[in-house]
Amino acid sequence: FPLAVSRLLDFKGHQRQGAQALFLSAAKTEPASPQTDITFPLQHPALVNYLKQRAIPYSLGRRYLHEVVTRVEDKEYFSVGFKNDSNGFATRNRYHKGNTGPQDITTFDVGNRGTVAVFEGFFDFLSALVWFGLEEPRISTVVLNSTGNRKKAVEFLSQFEKANCFLDRDKAGMECFEKLARIDGLNAVDCSMIYEGHNDYNELLIRKIK
């Protein structure tokens, strides 16, 4: 844990401290540095390469993602950002997974109220588009951006007859599916068997391409 926190402090632009310094009283810690986030069209070579590593073509990434630049003191950090319905962003880069701005789901409403697709993260949503050779979803779609946003999705999902769920095949993903079906009362269908043997849709896509 001390090593993990030390490395996180490195990422945020702080000088690494000894492990013992991480457990000093609050009075002895440095105040948090001011942080600002700015968004641009996706173009940074490191981020384009990151998308390539995740098997997402730049043309699709440019359509759905932004370049989020986080400035802390005199340092800048670049992430790909996926916009949510509250104008916040789910952010990712090779070393970081987080959010900036308000956390929320991302919805794509195509009008039909038959079936809706539910994805846990935006890389899985983009991977499904790649898998089926699409530029945009053919049915209404919800990207949770985190299983913690499940309740925020229920009002939108309850409008549909069936919810096809493409969640991670891990404890958090399976628990989220069970809650959608049993607690939220949705006609939820587990579609994760498509990538059985893999944790999620993106992992399947990466391995198939390799």
Side-chain angles (χ1 to χ4, degrees):
F1 176 74
L3 178 59
V5 174
S6 176
R7 290 184 175 176
L8 287 173
L9 290 173
D10 273 351
F11 178 80
K12 291 184 177 179
H14 295 280
Q15 184 177 1
R16 179 175 296 182
Q17 307 171 50
Q20 69 278 7
L22 300 174
F23 301 97
L24 296 178
S25 66
K28 294 183 180 180
T29 59
E30 296 180 3
S33 303
Q35 174 178 315
T36 57
D37 299 296
I38 305 174
T39 60
F40 299 96
L42 184 61
Q43 59 184 2
H44 194 285
L47 298 181
V48 175
N49 186 58
Y50 174 58
L51 290 184
K52 183 178 180 181
Q53 293 173 349
R54 300 295 296 262
I56 304 300
Y58 175 64
S59 59
L60 198 62
R62 183 176 56 185
R63 184 184 183 110
Y64 289 98
L65 302 176
H66 295 73
E67 183 173 311
V68 179
V69 181
T70 300
R71 292 176 177 169
V72 182
E73 293 182 339
D74 60 343
K75 293 182 172 61
E76 291 186 339
Y77 304 96
F78 297 80
S79 302
V80 292
F82 182 68
K83 195 172 186 179
N84 63 39
D85 289 358
S86 294
N87 294 317
F89 290 88
T91 57
R92 304 287 185 274
N93 63 31
R94 186 177 177 182
Y95 308 101
H96 165 78
K97 178 179 180 180
N99 296 274
T100 182
Q103 294 191 38
D104 203 352
I105 63 174
T106 303
T107 57
F108 300 91
D109 192 347
V110 302
N112 189 296
R113 287 297 179 266
T115 301
V116 60
V118 184
F119 294 91
E120 186 167 330
F122 67 83
F123 270 116
D124 298 316
F125 163 65
L126 296 177
S127 295
L129 293 181
V130 175
W131 190 262
F132 291 104
L134 301 174
E135 290 289 326
E136 56 188 30
R138 291 180 296 186
I139 63 174
S140 294
T141 298
V142 173
V143 182
L144 298 178
N145 293 315
S146 168
T147 55
N149 290 330
R150 185 197 95 249
K151 291 183 179 180
K152 297 179 180 180
V154 172
E155 182 178 356
F156 181 78
L157 294 175
S158 62
Q159 303 176 56
F160 298 85
E161 297 175 8
K162 181 174 66 172
N164 288 342
C165 299
F166 302 87
L167 306 178
D168 290 3
R169 294 179 64 86
D170 58 13
K171 183 179 179 180
M174 293 300 99
E175 287 182 351
C176 182
F177 172 77
E178 291 296 325
K179 290 177 180 178
L180 286 171
R182 296 182 182 181
I183 296 178
D184 303 324
L186 301 176
N187 181 20
V189 179
D190 181 10
C191 296
S192 67
M193 70 287 296
I194 291 178
Y195 38 92
E196 186 174 3
H198 305 82
N199 184 62
D200 55 36
Y201 224 137
N202 186 239
E203 185 176 300
L204 170 66
L205 181 63
I206 291 172
R207 292 191 180 183
K208 288 293 183 181
I209 288 180
K210 286 186 177 179

